[in-house]
Amino acid sequence: MAGTAGTPGTPRVLRAMNDRAALDLLLEHGQLSRTRIGKLTGLSKPTASQLLARLEAAGLVLATGTTEGRPGPNAQLYEVNPTAAYAAGLDVTPERILAAVSDITGRTVGSYELPTPGRRPAQPVVRQVTDALDGAVKAAGMARDDVHRLVIGTPGAFDPNTGRLRYASHLPGWHTPALLDELAAALPMPVEYENDVNLVAVAEQRLGAARGHEDFVLLWNEGGLGAALVLGGRLHRGWTGGAGEVGFLPVPGTPLVRQVTKANSGGYQELAGSQAIPRLAREIGMSSVPSTPYAEAAATLVERAAGEDTVLNRLLLQTYATRLATGLASLVSVLDPELVVLSGASLTAGGEVLRALVQSELEELAASRPRLVVGDVHEHPVLRGALESALATTRDEVFNTSR
């Protein structure tokens, strides 16, 4: 019996697979000639020509310039059409919402920051989200309807069973029962919600230190202490989305924190979170502790300690490294990951000096010995991860030529 459209092995499906392979190569390499695409995909010249003609007619690729400076006639070059689709991401914290819009190639074409200070939001959350998105869309010279998909990153996670935000009581206005329905009604595109630290892991896996790794833990320390768990190449979110909320982990060295969700803290957060670093600096006798907010002060202290070799700085870094390794030992003992990525300002500020200290401590506290690296995605990693997540789904939909 002849195969039907969409059946594996049929000409339509095979063409779609070749189309996607070519589009991915263009995303990876930029401009390519027909001959080069043929060599990279293994397709004959006639088949590669038909493929490019098909993709150009579909508006997915553009003929751009030609090769120059080589023997023989100049060859036509092709690239992915950046206007084929757009995706957007939001990075939400209690203080502000960062929004950005990216074209299908991953280039950011518009961004906007909406301040959201105060314990009570001045505007409803739906208004905040739409205002932030509209600001980025306007900066890109587009309309809201031009965005194919939106991914919103927040602290905590929306429980898939109830739709309520959990593990983030410090985020004002985001806990109303009907919030997701209200956002869906206000926004014209599909919307996904993801934990902020998970999105940092997405960014590191696709663009940074975890590229090529299927099993890794990302430890984040900035406003809060959290982790992302990537197992078999996929994020592990847990039953309620709470996998990776390691700030609540009971650890030696701190009193037990009970009713952790009400306290919005836990043992590991109290031991090694950013708010513990200025306190530790005062305890060991440092006189110049910044009076800035604790996350900023922590990053300043760690960076200074890693750059100036003094007795007090060494003590601060060593104590911090031991505290970090104490919680990490529990994670690696259970998960046995290949790699641990250190991210967030209170970790990356210590650079290689802090990384080496944590590595050494972890090797004494845990039976397995994963390699520790410092994250490579430094500029707005949550927002970058939101864009990468939105782009991945958008490309799967837009680049599917089997329909």
Side-chain angles (χ1 to χ4, degrees):
M1 179 183 294
T4 58
T7 302
T10 62
R12 176 176 292 186
V13 172
L14 293 175
R15 283 196 301 268
M17 292 172 63
N18 289 334
D19 290 348
R20 181 60 192 264
L23 289 164
D24 286 342
L25 286 169
L26 288 167
L27 286 173
E28 180 182 358
H29 296 282
Q31 295 181 337
L32 292 173
S33 67
R34 179 202 62 183
T35 301
R36 183 63 176 154
I37 290 173
K39 288 181 179 179
L40 290 171
T41 58
L43 299 175
S44 66
K45 288 183 179 180
T47 302
S49 294
Q50 293 170 5
L51 177 152
L52 287 167
R54 187 166 60 246
L55 294 178
E56 191 172 7
L60 295 177
V61 302
L62 297 174
T64 55
T66 58
T67 58
E68 296 179 358
R70 296 182 181 180
N74 293 341
Q76 179 68 60
L77 294 174
Y78 297 86
E79 67 180 10
V80 171
N81 180 1
T83 66
Y86 296 91
L90 264 61
D91 170 15
V92 179
T93 72
E95 295 79 28
R96 51 89 181 125
I97 297 178
L98 288 179
V101 177
S102 172
D103 65 32
I104 198 72
T105 70
R107 182 175 65 94
T108 299
V109 294
S111 59
Y112 184 77
E113 179 173 349
L114 177 73
T116 57
R119 293 183 177 272
R120 293 184 178 181
Q123 297 174 330
V125 163
V126 173
R127 176 70 181 276
Q128 291 180 354
V129 168
T130 55
D131 282 357
L133 177 61
D134 287 345
V137 165
K138 181 179 180 181
M142 297 161 45
R144 191 190 298 178
D145 289 347
D146 294 327
V147 176
H148 192 88
R149 181 170 294 269
L150 171 66
V151 171
I152 299 176
T154 68
F158 285 92
D159 190 321
N161 305 299
T162 65
R164 298 288 295 271
L165 183 65
R166 303 186 65 190
Y167 319 110
S169 59
H170 62 299
L171 195 62
W174 283 77
H175 301 86
T176 56
L179 177 61
L180 299 190
D181 291 335
E182 292 171 359
L183 285 168
L187 296 167
M189 75 291 292
V191 184
E192 298 176 14
Y193 304 88
E194 185 60 87
N195 171 263
D196 52 358
V197 184
N198 283 349
L199 291 175
V200 179
V202 169
E204 290 290 349
Q205 188 177 32
R206 295 182 181 167
L207 305 171
R211 290 186 73 174
H213 293 276
E214 295 289 301
D215 294 272
F216 69 94
V217 169
L218 181 136
L219 184 69
W220 170 267
N221 199 11
E222 199 161 295
L225 183 64
L229 317 176
V230 178
L231 308 174
R234 303 185 65 175
L235 282 165
H236 175 68
R237 297 177 175 85
W239 178 247
T240 64
E245 294 290 342
V246 296
F248 298 124
L249 187 71
V251 293
T254 57
L256 282 176
V257 178
R258 300 186 183 274
Q259 296 184 321
V260 293
T261 55
K262 290 185 178 180
N264 199 39
S265 188
Y268 197 20
Q269 180 71 42
E270 295 297 316
L271 183 71
S274 294
Q275 80 273 26
I277 299 172
R279 185 167 62 242
L280 171 62
R282 296 185 186 95
E283 289 173 356
I284 65 176
M286 285 187 167
S287 56
S288 56
V289 178
S291 58
T292 52
Y294 69 82
E296 184 179 340
T300 299
L301 287 165
V302 171
E303 183 176 24
R304 183 194 304 165
E308 301 175 11
D309 187 16
T310 68
V311 173
L312 288 181
N313 282 341
R314 286 197 299 273
L315 179 59
L316 178 73
L317 276 189
Q318 183 61 64
T319 305
Y320 182 37
T322 301
R323 292 181 175 190
L324 290 168
T326 299
L328 270 177
S330 297
L331 289 178
V332 303
S333 296
V334 173
L335 299 172
D336 190 21
E338 175 188 4
L339 185 76
V340 174
V341 179
L342 304 179
S343 188
S346 296
L347 290 170
T348 59
E352 173 60 22
V353 177
L354 178 61
R355 185 214 64 80
L357 289 172
V358 179
Q359 179 86 65
S360 177
E361 287 292 277
L362 186 60
E363 289 177 358
E364 293 191 9
L365 296 176
S368 61
R369 297 185 174 184
R371 183 166 62 94
L372 268 64
V373 296
V374 179
D376 283 342
V377 182
H378 303 296
E379 186 175 359
H380 305 311
V382 176
L383 184 60
R384 188 68 251 173
L387 288 171
E388 287 298 316
S389 182
L391 281 168
T393 306
T394 298
R395 288 168 181 163
D396 285 344
E397 294 170 352
V398 175
F399 288 172
N400 182 0
T401 60
S402 66
R403 296 186 294 270

